[in-house]
């Protein structure tokens, strides 16, 4: 119920305080704009800080620790009676969320960003209505940025009930380790969270429609991941479709091969549905002001993050593409820069991506397949972590680094890495791409020894036929 109505003005209104919105608001304030940041949720930070990137990585780390202490026998470490208190693990994770989201509030306050709590809707080209706890607030703006993010997609036949059929949010809040978990969707979120529960002791089955994991990457990546997941005891049903949920204790997930054949019933105490995300664009008043979306509801923008309506920008998950926090950060800086008259655009060479499974998968630039499809005469070099002293010392020799380059010019086109901790050096590989580096540039760069990042230098040297720590092909 609207109990009152007030109005305010500002130069820029930002809707949504996730990685897109809060970064845009802070940057705008740094550049001297009077900014209002509107957030409907109880905390700033969006999906990323509250129920996405950070909480999932905290749970991954904790489950790795629980797993590693049980697996230390070959190094002479045996720990008996290891027990996991999931409720405490979740409390620890929530403590991190509280610290980080509070930190964002502090940074916004320090930058002079005004925060308004409530649900925003565009009601005119230059006016927002915000439903706050105290009533309706009208905000008149000169320019606006829509950064409302995305939500998990529902799967027909598997309606969420928050306990038996859950999404990623609930999977990060369980207080008991499920006996049997079925994960529907073998994308990165499903695989990361499925691995967490497998390492904590659940029986985990993953049902994926496509015939292989990591289908956007070169086949050896999915093969390495599949091998390791099977070694961990994750049951993989690739090329299978989840069709129905049958009641019972446990419930049964009915799945069938995509290319025909007998259906199978997989028992589940908990079903985690992770089949994609949809943009939060439907109740924003976009039609009222004439902002164009595509047929899935993602807002259409150009490389300056401008929508078709002058003065209205959109960034982050709500515009589609790679639904990743660091893409949202960059788009936020571009939109803020454009609003402040800077000559900037989203023209990055690469948006790196990481899957935090065991082993991690990190990639930047083109895959070998994509490079060939674009007509490059391709040369590749691969270095296996089986030959890496650092990987051996970490007892993590699964994986490799592969460098993909144009054979004629020697320019690096892409890097794919599979292995422990590879997320930490994919930024270096991305810098190489952004700077138009050639194989020699990375090959001549001294990498500290012993590190996993040496494998990047070795892979590049292998592409040059100059590998030292493995036999050149
Ligand atoms: P969001 O983070 O979704 O924020 C949008 C905000 O807008 C929300 O706070 C919402 O409450 C608010 N809002 C929506 N509508 C309104 C309205 N009408 N009025 C006011 N406020 C509104 N990305 C990575 O890069 N690395 C990872 O490791 C990673 N892990 C992930 C793990 C999981 C389990 C999930 C679910 C996601 C993960 N992501 C990861 C994706 C990442 O979280 C998103 O890409 C990122 O949060 C998108 O940022 P955003 O600002 O566009 O939107």
């Amino acid at each position: 119920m609207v109990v009152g109505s007030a109005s305010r003005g500002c130069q820029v209104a930002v809707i949504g305080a996730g990685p897109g919105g809060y970064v845009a608001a802070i940057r705008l304030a740094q550049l001297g704009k009077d900014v209002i940041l509107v957030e409907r949720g109880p905390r700033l930070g969006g999906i990323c800080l509250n129920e996405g990137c950070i909480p999932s990585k905290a749970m991954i780390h904790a489950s790795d620790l629980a797993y590693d202490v049980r697996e230390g026998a070959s190094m002479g470490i045996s720990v008996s009676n290891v027990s996991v208190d999931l409720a405490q693990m979740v409390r620890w994770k929530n403590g991190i969320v509280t610290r980080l989201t509070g930190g964002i509030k502090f940074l916004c306050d320090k930058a002079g960003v005004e925060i308004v709590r409530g649900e925003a809707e565009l009601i005119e080209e230059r006016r927002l209505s915000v439903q706050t706890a105290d009533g309706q607030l009208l905000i008149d703006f000169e320019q606006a940025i829509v950064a409302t993010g995305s939500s998990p997609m529902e799967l027909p036949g598997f309606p969420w009930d928050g306990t038996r059929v859950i999404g990623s949010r609930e999977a990060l809040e369980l207080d008991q380790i499920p006996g049997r978990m079925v994960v529907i969707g073998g994308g990165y979120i499903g695989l990361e969270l499925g691995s967490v529960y497998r390492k904590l002791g659940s029986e985990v089955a993953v049902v994926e429609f496509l015939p292989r994991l990591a289908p956007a990457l070169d086949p050896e990546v999915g093969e390495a991941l599949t091998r390791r997941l099977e070694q961990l005891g994750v049951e993989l049903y690739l090329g299978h479709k989840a069709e129905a949920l049958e009641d019972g204790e446990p419930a049964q997930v009915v799945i069938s091969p995509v290319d025909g054949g007998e259906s199978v019933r997989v028992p589940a105490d908990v079903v985690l549905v992770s089949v994609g995300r949809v943009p939060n664009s439907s109740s924003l008043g976009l039609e009222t002001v004439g902002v164009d979306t595509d047929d899935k509801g993602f807002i259409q923008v150009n490389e300056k993050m401008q929508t078709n309506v002058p003065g209205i920008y959109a960034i982050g998950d709500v515009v589609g593409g790679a639904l990743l926090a660091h893409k949202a950060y960059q788009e936020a800086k571009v939109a803020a820069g454009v609003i402040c008259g800077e000559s900037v655009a989203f023209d990055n060479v690469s948006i790196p991506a990481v899957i935090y499974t065991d082993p991690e998968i990190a990639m930047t630039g083109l895959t070998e397949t994509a490079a060939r499809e674009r007509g490059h005469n391709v040369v590749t070099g691969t270095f296996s972590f089986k030959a890496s002293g650092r990987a051996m010392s970490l007892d993590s020799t699964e994986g490799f680094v592969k460098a993909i380059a144009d054979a004629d010019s020697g320019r690096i086109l892409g890097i794919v890495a599979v292995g422990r901790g590879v997320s930490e050096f994919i930024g270096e590989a991305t810098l190489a791409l952004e700077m138009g580096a050639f194989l020699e540039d990375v090959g001549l760069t001294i990498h500290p020894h012993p590190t996993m990042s040496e494998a990047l230098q070795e892979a590049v040297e292998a592409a040059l036929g100059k590998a030292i720590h493995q036999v050149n092909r």
Side-chain angles (χ1 to χ4, degrees), residues 158-242:
F158 296 86
W160 320 105
D161 61 20
T163 49
R164 198 177 51 172
V165 181
I166 62 171
S168 53
R169 175 189 302 145
E170 294 81 17
L172 293 164
E173 289 291 323
L174 296 181
D175 54 12
Q176 279 189 345
I177 301 167
R180 278 167 286 222
M181 174 182 268
V182 172
V183 179
I184 305 180
Y188 82 92
I189 294 175
L191 292 179
E192 287 181 5
L193 295 175
S195 300
V196 164
Y197 283 99
R198 179 67 199 128
K199 287 191 165 180
L200 293 179
S202 303
E203 297 291 323
V204 173
V206 176
V207 183
E208 167 56 44
F209 189 84
L210 296 171
R212 63 185 172 99
L213 297 178
L217 303 180
D218 293 328
E220 64 269 35
V221 177
E223 283 158 18
L225 184 55
T226 302
R227 209 166 37 242
R228 177 66 176 141
L229 288 171
E230 285 176 347
Q231 196 184 61
L232 287 172
V234 174
E235 246 176 279
L236 292 175
Y237 292 93
L238 304 179
H240 277 74
K241 189 172 160 199

Side-chain angles (χ1 to χ4, degrees), residues 16 19-20 39-40 46-48 53 57 120 148-149 188 316-317 323-325:
E39 171 56 51
R40 67 180 176 189
I47 293 292
C48 174
C53 324
K57 270 76 242 178
T148 48
Y188 82 92
D317 281 10
L323 304 188
L324 293 170

Side-chain angles (χ1 to χ4, degrees), residues 209-443:
F209 189 84
L210 296 171
R212 63 185 172 99
L213 297 178
L217 303 180
D218 293 328
E220 64 269 35
V221 177
E223 283 158 18
L225 184 55
T226 302
R227 209 166 37 242
R228 177 66 176 141
L229 288 171
E230 285 176 347
Q231 196 184 61
L232 287 172
V234 174
E235 246 176 279
L236 292 175
Y237 292 93
L238 304 179
H240 277 74
K241 189 172 160 199
E243 292 189 320
L245 184 65
E246 290 178 353
D247 269 342
E249 290 298 334
Q252 306 283 334
V253 179
V254 184
I255 65 170
S256 61
V258 172
D259 52 10
E262 292 279 296
S263 49
V264 182
R265 282 172 171 68
V266 189
D269 300 310
V270 167
V271 182
L272 166 59
V273 177
S274 176
V275 291
R277 298 187 65 84
V278 291
N280 294 331
S281 61
S282 60
S283 49
L284 271 178
L286 297 177
E287 326 71 45
T288 313
V289 296
V291 172
D292 286 344
T293 57
D294 69 9
D295 55 354
K296 294 191 172 116
F298 289 106
I299 298 176
Q300 304 283 279
V301 288
N302 62 16
E303 74 291 350
K304 290 181 178 291
M305 312 318 299
Q306 293 161 320
T307 68
N308 59 309
V309 176
I312 299 187
Y313 297 70
I315 57 174
D317 281 10
V318 77
V319 305
L323 304 188
L324 293 170
H326 45 274
K327 187 209 70 149
Y329 289 160
Q330 182 66 4
E331 290 176 344
K333 292 171 194 165
V334 169
V338 172
I339 287 171
C340 297
E342 291 177 358
S343 173
V344 285
F346 192 98
D347 58 0
N348 289 65
V349 174
S350 166
I351 302 170
V354 178
I355 308 177
Y356 291 83
T357 38
D358 169 6
E360 288 180 355
I361 294 173
M363 81 93 45
T364 190
L366 300 180
T367 61
E368 179 179 352
T369 315
R372 291 193 193 284
E373 281 167 5
R374 292 203 189 178
H376 289 281
N377 177 20
V378 170
V379 62
T380 66
T382 300
F383 184 78
S384 166
F385 283 119
K386 292 203 168 41
S388 154
R390 182 58 179 148
M392 284 182 217
S393 71
L394 292 169
D395 199 29
S396 296
T397 54
E398 182 70 67
F400 56 87
V401 176
K402 176 174 167 184
I404 299 125
D406 182 275
D408 302 322
S409 63
R411 180 160 297 204
I412 300 174
L413 301 171
I415 300 289
V416 182
V418 179
R420 178 159 174 166
V422 294
S423 54
E424 294 299 338
F425 64 79
I426 206 66
E428 176 198 343
T430 307
L431 177 65
L433 290 182
E434 290 292 344
M435 298 189 75
F438 295 91
L439 289 166
E440 282 83 358
D441 293 320
V442 176

